[in-house]
């Protein structure tokens, strides 16, 4: 049986540099309290490598526009998209296992009135903090309140 979050619980997302009373670092690298929400390295590394390759291809295309550069960008973008799709399914599976293995941590999270999930990703759209905030926690009654951007 799932434990619902308090009615109206607010979940926000932000980069790890964000400071606040309700911050929960959910990174594999520096998360302590929120480590149970971090993706495993074997799941994370392929999508990080694919993103890096795609970004390098973008830069190469800007520096030297050519048909070859365009093909490389298209290929690396497709590879990233495929890696991301695999990552999403893997992360959802890991969070189901985390819920079973870390029941006390999940209970503490679900008891919060508000939480800001933080990690290192610069693109919130392709990030586990957003998956957690928009696809997992709403099933427990949370309301996604958006990405917090630093000034």
């Amino acid at each position: 049986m799932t434990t619902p979050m308090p009615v109206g619980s607010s979940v926000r997302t932000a980069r790890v540099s964000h400071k606040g009373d309700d911050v929960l670092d959910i990174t594999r690298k520096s998360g302590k309290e929120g480590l149970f929400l971090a993706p495993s390295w074997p799941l994370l590394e392929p999508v990080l490598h694919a993103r890096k390759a795609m970004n390098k291809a973008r830069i190469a295309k800007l520096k030297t526009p050519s048909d070859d550069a365009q093909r490389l960008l298209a290929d690396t973008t497709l590879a990233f998209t495929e890696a991301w799709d695999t990552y999403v399914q893997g992360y959802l599976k890991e969070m189901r296992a985390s819920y079973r293995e870390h029941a006390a941590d999940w209970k503490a999270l679900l008891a919060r009135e508000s939480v800001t999930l933080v990690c290192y990703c610069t693109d919130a759209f392709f990030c586990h903090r957003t998956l957690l905030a928009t696809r997992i926690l709403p099933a427990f009654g949370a309301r996604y309140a958006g990405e917090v951007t630093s000034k």
Side-chain angles (χ1 to χ4, degrees):
M1 179 172 163
T2 60
T3 303
M5 291 187 83
V7 174
S9 292
S10 175
V11 178
R12 290 182 304 279
T13 55
R15 299 254 353 256
V16 75
S17 58
H18 176 75
K19 304 298 178 213
D21 293 338
D22 69 346
V23 165
L24 181 61
D25 181 341
I26 61 168
T27 66
R28 177 64 44 196
K29 185 176 178 180
S30 61
K32 291 180 179 57
E33 182 187 355
L35 189 59
F36 70 103
L37 301 170
S40 66
W41 283 118
L43 181 64
L44 186 57
E45 286 175 336
V47 80
L48 291 177
H49 292 297
R51 183 186 326 229
K52 186 175 182 178
M54 182 179 65
N55 289 338
K56 282 178 71 174
R58 280 186 183 144
I59 292 167
K61 184 179 176 291
L62 288 173
K63 287 182 179 178
T64 312
S66 68
D67 289 344
D68 287 343
Q70 182 60 41
R71 274 191 294 280
L72 178 61
L73 179 56
D75 290 346
T76 57
T77 300
L78 178 60
F80 172 75
T81 302
E82 291 170 349
W84 176 252
D85 290 345
T86 299
Y87 176 85
V88 169
Q89 295 311 309
Y91 185 69
L92 296 174
K93 183 178 178 183
E94 285 187 358
M95 289 304 97
R96 285 189 291 274
S98 172
Y99 186 79
R100 290 188 302 274
E101 296 166 15
H102 303 279
D105 294 321
W106 277 88
K107 185 175 181 178
L109 170 64
L110 298 174
R112 291 181 176 219
E113 293 287 333
S114 70
V115 64
T116 301
L117 306 171
V118 301
C119 74
Y120 292 94
C121 293
T122 56
D123 183 348
F125 186 78
F126 293 105
C127 177
H128 75 291
R129 68 179 183 252
T130 305
L131 287 173
L132 186 59
T134 63
R135 293 194 52 187
I136 298 172
L137 294 179
F140 294 98
R143 179 183 55 81
Y144 182 51
E147 175 82 3
V148 178
T149 55
S150 300
K151 295 180 181 180

